[in-house]
Amino acid sequence: MTVVSISRCNGKTDRLLEVLYLPEVRYTELGFTEFTQTLILASCCALLIYIRQVLKIWPTVTLLLLAFVSASLVREQDYFLDYYVADNTWKFVVALIVLPSLAWVIIHRQRFLDEFRYYSNTFSFGLFAAGVLVTYIFSRLYGRQDFWRAVLEESYIRDFKDIAEEAIELLGYSLILFATIELLFLARRIHRARQTP
């Protein structure tokens, strides 16, 4: 059995576990898919904080990336914030994250442009951009109810749409995680080069 087939089996097993053994939470805010999305985004935040604060590589670019990923993480928690705090709390929390970060980047825009000139030519940037496009553009278009009604006609069930949209979101967040890991490797190389006399 190859590594690819083992990983395929593990992915199918995880989805099957959610579908077969957790029917009351499958593809809901309490399901495995949402938990995985949260875990991925939290991991990205931790890695970006490490890159920015410990390695001190491209601080304005990583601040903007961190603000974006943190806002996405808060947005994924909207169900819990609405339920346990108040409706639309997530919007306030996202504003508290994004507005100061944007202000900082605008104030230091020349530094941002210098850093972004390097970052935009990396594999990490391409992966990050692909993850954003998949998560925030493609998944929204692919998860449109009109599309699924046209495809499935009278066999339409909302669960199909929800499952497809959540799976595509998970793919996009995974691309963002891979981009962040790639950025970490690049930042470590840059950090080592700066340390070498």
Side-chain angles (χ1 to χ4, degrees):
M1 193 175 229
T2 65
V3 173
V4 173
S5 60
I6 290 171
S7 66
R8 285 184 184 155
C9 290
N10 287 338
K12 288 178 183 174
T13 303
D14 292 343
R15 282 178 279 171
L16 282 174
L17 287 174
E18 184 172 3
V19 171
L20 295 176
Y21 300 111
L22 301 169
E24 64 280 350
V25 297
R26 76 174 153 221
Y27 294 101
T28 67
E29 299 297 328
L30 302 173
F32 176 78
T33 304
E34 289 289 334
F35 174 74
T36 305
Q37 290 173 353
T38 297
L39 186 63
I40 286 172
L41 290 170
S43 300
C44 288
C45 288
L47 291 173
L48 287 167
I49 289 169
Y50 177 77
I51 293 166
R52 185 173 196 278
Q53 297 301 117
V54 177
L55 300 178
K56 299 186 185 314
I57 303 298
W58 300 331
T60 50
V61 167
T62 52
L63 176 66
L64 197 58
L65 295 174
L66 179 60
F68 179 79
V69 172
S70 300
S72 298
L73 177 61
V74 170
R75 175 64 180 98
E76 283 297 324
Q77 308 312 309
D78 69 326
Y79 170 81
F80 300 106
L81 290 169
D82 288 350
Y83 186 79
Y84 291 110
V85 181
D87 284 342
N88 295 318
T89 303
W90 71 270
K91 292 178 183 178
F92 179 71
V93 176
V94 165
L96 287 176
I97 294 168
V98 171
L99 294 177
S101 300
L102 282 177
W104 180 263
V105 170
I106 290 169
I107 290 168
H108 299 282
R109 64 184 162 273
Q110 191 55 50
R111 184 187 316 167
F112 170 77
L113 291 172
D114 292 340
E115 293 172 8
F116 188 72
R117 196 169 297 122
Y118 291 106
Y119 177 64
S120 64
N121 290 315
T122 66
F123 183 60
S124 172
F125 175 72
L127 277 176
F128 196 90
V132 168
L133 290 173
V134 167
T135 303
Y136 294 99
I137 306 297
F138 183 69
S139 75
R140 300 306 182 259
L141 294 173
Y142 191 66
R144 287 181 53 96
Q145 190 172 30
D146 296 338
F147 170 75
W148 287 100
R149 285 188 184 277
V151 170
L152 298 174
E153 295 173 348
E154 62 275 344
S155 300
Y156 171 78
I157 299 173
R158 183 179 168 89
D159 287 348
F160 290 139
K161 179 198 90 65
D162 292 343
I163 290 168
E165 187 173 4
E166 291 301 324
I168 296 297
E169 275 184 24
L170 185 58
L171 171 65
Y173 288 143
S174 297
L175 288 173
I176 290 171
L177 175 63
F178 297 145
T180 306
I181 293 169
E182 177 66 25
L183 178 59
L184 173 66
F185 292 150
L186 178 61
R188 289 182 69 192
R189 284 194 304 267
I190 293 170
H191 181 72
R192 280 195 205 118
R194 287 180 181 173
Q195 301 298 321
T196 306

